[in-house]
Amino acid sequence: MHTVSGGEVAGILVAVFWAILVSFLAVALARLAQTLRATTKLVADVTDQAVPLLADASSAVRSAQTQIDRVDAIASDVQEVTSNASALSTTVASTFGGPLVKVAAFGYGVRRALGGRKEDMSAAPAGESRSTVIVGRTVPAARRTKRKKG
């Protein structure tokens, strides 16, 4: 029989240790390779889906830019129309405003003159006081008549 020396036992232990270590490393590398394959497949799938999405997003942005340009053109046209309407309103007011005010004042004066004569002709019944409404206020008849001095 052969006796095993201490060096041989140490060599066997080191060989077993290295075998276990290599086995663990092989398992870890196999799992890492599997993870890398899954990651590669995932990246490929994302790329396949992202390219059409990016194309759609790009066309949507182009369409939005076109619409914004149209709205900008419409806004500038509206601003021009508003400016023209303001100028027209100012022109009409300056052209017709003065004469219309004069005609209205003349008409008011004529009505007032004719209305005053009618009041003098048709006196109020005795004991009944008349009142006049001016802008939401009632003015008693006593305040409407002019007081005579003397």
Side-chain angles (χ1 to χ4, degrees):
M1 229 196 5
H2 178 24
T3 60
V4 180
S5 69
E8 290 176 341
V9 170
I12 291 175
L13 286 177
V14 169
V16 169
F17 172 74
W18 278 107
I20 292 173
L21 181 64
V22 167
S23 297
F24 281 133
L25 287 176
V27 169
L29 285 174
R31 288 191 178 169
L32 181 63
Q34 184 180 14
T35 302
L36 286 175
R37 276 193 300 272
T39 303
T40 303
K41 183 177 183 284
L42 179 66
V43 168
D45 290 344
V46 167
T47 303
D48 290 343
Q49 292 175 2
V51 170
L53 287 176
L54 289 175
D56 290 346
S58 177
S59 67
V61 167
R62 271 190 240 107
S63 174
Q65 182 63 37
T66 303
Q67 295 301 325
I68 287 173
D69 291 342
R70 287 180 183 169
V71 168
D72 188 35
I74 290 170
S76 66
D77 290 345
V78 167
Q79 183 179 8
E80 185 178 340
V81 167
T82 302
S83 174
N84 290 343
S86 175
L88 180 64
S89 172
T90 303
T91 303
V92 168
S94 66
T95 303
F96 297 113
L100 285 178
V101 168
K102 289 177 184 177
V103 167
F106 178 74
Y108 177 74
V110 168
R111 265 195 325 255
R112 182 87 173 185
L114 294 177
R117 288 186 184 170
K118 287 182 183 177
E119 274 186 23
D120 292 341
M121 289 181 205
S122 62
E128 186 179 315
S129 68
R130 297 186 65 195
S131 58
T132 303
V133 176
I134 299 175
V135 190
R137 295 184 181 176
T138 303
V139 180
R143 287 184 60 195
R144 282 189 288 129
T145 60
K146 295 183 180 176
R147 295 183 185 178
K148 295 182 181 177
K149 294 181 181 178

